[in-house]
Amino acid sequence: VKRVAFICYELAKGYGLPEEEAEKLMFASPLHDVGKVGIPDGILNKPMKLQEHEWEVMKTHASIGYDILKNSKRAIIQAGALIARDHHEKWDGSGYPYGLAAEAIPLEGRIVALADVFDALTSVRPYKKAWSVEEAMAHIHAQSGLHFDPTLVQLFAAQLPQLLQIKQQWAEQSDAGQPLPPG
């Protein structure tokens, strides 16, 4: 979550958000998957592809996270509620939980979606090996205008060297054997 938080901060600053808003996003972004506390361990920790009914349960984590956080009076927690709800929406409207499209998806959700996917793709998971940075960036570019906000994809690519520094600085032990290209 630290990598995702710092990547979100850099993207927010690069997008032109004021320092206060970029910091709020950085502190709120680690709450994006808080709703996974409501997902059964057998689904959450399954080391293989989920079956359709399991995937439907997994998708509820966005709404669960929003419901957990939505009544807070604190700005960071309120932002976390929206991020939890919106980080799986897709630019083309095919995401969940509401099928929001394009700029109807709050900017914070669009930023976290991109940072989270990049981090997930380039990190080891129980069900997959880490993708190379090149593979992950090819996927992100292919999903520009589909999954991801095209403006954010361009910004992400332009900031890639500093984002890779964040990834390396906060590397997990399981990622230690995955060399990053110089940048």
Side-chain angles (χ1 to χ4, degrees):
V1 295
K2 287 180 182 177
R3 291 189 303 261
V4 171
F6 289 121
I7 289 171
C8 287
Y9 173 81
E10 293 299 332
L11 288 173
K13 289 296 291 179
Y15 194 83
L17 290 184
E19 180 69 23
E20 183 177 314
E21 289 299 309
E23 284 184 6
K24 181 168 58 172
L25 176 57
M26 179 179 71
F27 290 121
S29 67
L31 298 171
H32 71 279
D33 277 340
V34 71
K36 287 185 177 178
V37 300
I39 305 301
D41 286 346
I43 293 174
L44 192 60
N45 298 321
K46 189 172 181 179
M48 59 189 74
K49 185 177 171 129
L50 298 177
Q51 295 182 9
E52 185 61 33
H53 71 279
E54 294 169 322
W55 178 239
E56 291 304 315
V57 171
M58 180 63 88
K59 290 190 324 186
T60 66
H61 85 276
S63 297
I64 292 169
Y66 176 73
D67 288 341
I68 290 169
L69 303 172
K70 70 182 180 186
N71 294 320
S72 176
K73 305 260 187 274
R74 296 178 183 208
I76 289 173
I77 305 302
Q78 290 172 350
L82 297 176
I83 289 166
R85 182 190 70 195
D86 298 334
H87 77 284
H88 284 293
E89 298 289 358
K90 294 183 179 181
W91 188 256
D92 68 1
S94 67
Y96 63 88
Y98 298 115
L100 300 176
E103 293 181 356
I105 306 164
L107 177 61
E108 295 81 0
R110 299 189 324 254
I111 289 173
V112 173
L114 183 53
D116 187 40
V117 168
F118 175 77
D119 187 66
L121 291 176
T122 58
S123 298
V124 174
R125 295 290 186 258
Y127 51 87
K128 71 166 201 65
K129 293 180 180 179
W131 290 21
S132 72
V133 170
E134 293 79 12
E135 291 169 320
M137 288 306 297
H139 175 77
I140 287 169
H141 282 294
Q143 291 297 305
S144 179
L146 300 172
H147 188 158
F148 305 115
D149 175 338
T151 300
L152 288 175
V153 170
Q154 289 178 347
L155 179 60
F156 193 96
Q159 291 184 311
L160 187 60
Q162 70 192 85
L163 302 179
L164 291 176
Q165 288 177 347
I166 291 167
K167 182 156 179 61
Q168 191 152 16
Q169 179 179 356
W170 298 102
E172 295 176 8
Q173 286 298 100
S174 60
D175 295 335
Q178 304 289 330
L180 296 174

